[in-house]
Amino acid sequence: MELFSEVYSCYYQVLRHLLSNCNPLTIEEIRSQIHREGFEESLLSIIPKLENGDWNLFQKEGNLYLSRLKSDFLTPVSNLEKSYLKALLADSRISLFLHPEQEEVLNQMLASVPPLWKQEHFYYYDRFADGDPCDDDLYRSHFRTLLLAQKEKRYVDIDYNSPSGHRVHHYYVPARLEYSVKNDKFRILALKAAGNHTMRPEILNIARIQSLRLTEKILSSQVDVNAVIRQSYYREPLRIQIASRRNALERAMLHFANYEKNTKKTDENTYECLIYYNQAMETELLIEVLSFGPMLKVLGNEKFLRSLKERLRNQRSLISPDSSGFILCPLP
């Protein structure tokens, strides 16, 4: 986190690793480590202060430098980090990952620390209001059971109510936990047996799970989750063009950070980004692309373009000329 990097910066980390070394180091070995872990200019900043003793962190014996600190020295938690942790503890989602006893201990330790921020300091203008019920006991129970199953690679028996209204009942192995900022919802990427000793990924919204039972069955084989996900992608990725204006590239990389993608600069003013996705990701990706704004242009694939146009037509049909006063032209 950038806030913390100002306290425990790159230079701090480089020196920490040097001081943790129990063996005496030559100046060339110190130079080599700084070169590997620091910036180009780090040698110019650090080496003179070590050689002339300004920092007094090493004891020099001949040509060797010995750390004056023990290898197990502790890094104190800064006031900024404590305030950050205090703010996290006030978020109801943190209790999904901590036991009540752990929360109580942390709250006692940080009782006198002011939080870095409060929830009321934020207004989410582009987030859905029906977020997950993180304070609900049944939801918390499901959440923690899924975390345990993911850690131990155990199958869970899940009764699930799909977004289309169908009731689904299957055995899954939770593989990854995801969080959608826009939807304020957690979802689990789960593996489901697909026959012939293969697995298929499915995305389940945790709040839609009706019942859940942890089984004794453990996934016996090593499964490359990334490979399974890649096998589920459409053959042709989504191809978008991003204008090199108004910080659009940085916003797009942040916006689509949860997708596998390749980005290249095509000319001085534009970038091209390929986003890989599967059927389960399609609707959300469509919504995200539509919400991005005019700095982004969809070039393909054809299936995505058709879905995009269909969605725009549906949205346009909701606006009547009588109520808006606008006259709408047909889409190409």
Side-chain angles (χ1 to χ4, degrees):
M1 183 178 180
E2 288 184 10
L3 279 172
F4 296 157
S5 72
E6 300 302 319
V7 181
Y8 296 124
S9 64
C10 175
Y11 285 10
Y12 181 95
Q13 297 301 335
V14 170
L15 283 168
R16 176 187 171 89
H17 293 154
L18 288 170
L19 291 167
S20 300
N21 198 324
C22 298
N23 300 317
L25 300 169
T26 65
I27 195 66
E28 287 307 316
E29 289 172 328
I30 292 176
R31 285 178 186 275
S32 176
Q33 187 154 343
I34 295 173
H35 183 72
R36 286 198 306 274
E37 300 182 8
F39 304 117
E40 289 292 328
E41 70 277 12
S42 300
L43 286 169
L44 298 175
S45 302
I46 296 176
I47 291 295
K49 291 183 171 58
L50 294 182
E51 286 188 315
N52 61 29
D54 279 358
W55 284 350
N56 198 27
L57 297 173
F58 291 90
Q59 179 179 343
K60 190 174 181 183
E61 294 184 359
N63 294 326
L64 298 176
Y65 290 79
L66 291 166
S67 170
R68 292 183 183 275
L69 303 179
K70 294 180 180 179
S71 60
D72 58 348
F73 68 92
L74 297 176
T75 303
V77 180
S78 69
N79 290 334
L80 183 62
E81 286 175 303
K82 291 177 184 176
S83 292
Y84 176 75
L85 291 173
K86 184 65 176 289
L88 290 184
L89 283 173
D91 189 325
S92 61
R93 290 168 293 189
I94 198 70
S95 61
L96 299 171
F97 300 91
L98 298 175
H99 293 293
E101 300 79 15
Q102 293 173 315
E103 270 193 88
E104 186 178 350
V105 169
L106 287 170
N107 277 316
Q108 288 176 359
M109 292 173 66
L110 300 171
S112 61
V113 178
L116 191 58
W117 70 84
K118 294 181 179 178
Q119 292 301 314
E120 55 264 32
H121 292 163
F122 296 94
Y123 175 72
Y124 299 94
Y125 63 88
D126 61 347
R127 193 169 79 174
F128 292 102
D130 59 339
D132 279 358
C134 297
D135 294 323
D136 181 78
D137 289 339
L138 182 62
Y139 178 87
R140 290 188 184 201
S141 173
H142 288 168
F143 193 96
R144 287 174 181 155
T145 303
L146 289 169
L147 286 184
L148 178 63
Q150 189 269 337
K151 183 179 179 181
E152 298 181 354
K153 298 181 179 178
R154 291 169 68 177
Y155 281 83
V156 283
D157 182 5
I158 293 180
D159 186 11
Y160 183 77
N161 193 16
S162 72
S164 61
H166 295 100
R167 201 68 174 259
V168 181
H169 189 189
H170 283 294
Y171 290 90
Y172 297 92
V173 180
R176 285 179 183 167
L177 180 68
E178 297 179 348
Y179 174 71
S180 168
V181 175
K182 184 175 286 296
N183 295 302
D184 189 24
K185 293 180 186 297
F186 284 99
R187 57 200 178 200
I188 199 86
L189 191 151
L191 300 178
K192 175 184 170 185
N196 297 323
H197 305 290
T198 61
M199 304 295 283
R200 185 177 72 196
E202 290 194 7
I203 295 176
L204 307 175
N205 291 325
I206 296 179
R208 289 186 169 277
I209 294 176
Q210 303 302 304
S211 66
L212 181 153
R213 181 177 63 85
L214 191 65
T215 74
E216 297 300 322
K217 186 179 179 182
I218 294 176
L219 183 65
S220 55
S221 58
Q222 287 291 333
V223 176
D224 185 339
V225 177
N226 290 329
V228 171
I229 295 172
R230 288 192 183 106
Q231 288 170 4
S232 71
Y233 288 153
Y234 288 124
R235 184 173 298 176
E236 188 179 356
L238 167 64
R239 188 158 56 95
I240 56 176
Q241 186 181 74
I242 305 167
S244 181
R245 288 183 289 141
R246 293 167 55 184
N247 211 22
L249 179 65
E250 184 177 341
R251 289 191 290 118
M253 293 301 101
L254 183 63
H255 204 78
F256 303 110
N258 55 320
Y259 297 97
E260 182 176 345
K261 56 189 174 301
N262 288 322
T263 307
K264 64 179 181 182
K265 190 170 186 176
T266 51
D267 58 47
E268 286 301 313
N269 300 314
T270 53
Y271 293 84
E272 184 176 287
C273 180
L274 301 178
I275 298 178
Y276 300 89
Y277 69 106
N278 58 30
Q279 187 176 6
M281 306 171 182
E282 188 168 7
T283 301
E284 182 160 336
L285 181 58
L286 194 62
I287 295 170
E288 288 175 330
V289 167
L290 281 170
S291 68
F292 192 81
M295 296 295 104
L296 185 152
K297 181 180 180 181
V298 176
L299 304 177
N301 55 53
E302 284 301 321
K303 182 178 185 303
F304 193 91
L305 274 170
R306 283 197 301 272
S307 300
L308 187 71
K309 291 175 182 177
E310 181 64 29
R311 199 172 189 89
L312 286 172
R313 288 191 182 95
N314 291 338
Q315 289 181 352
R316 189 181 62 180
S317 67
L318 299 175
I319 305 173
S320 93
D322 292 339
S323 61
S324 67
F326 291 109
I327 299 174
L328 300 171
C329 299
L331 288 168

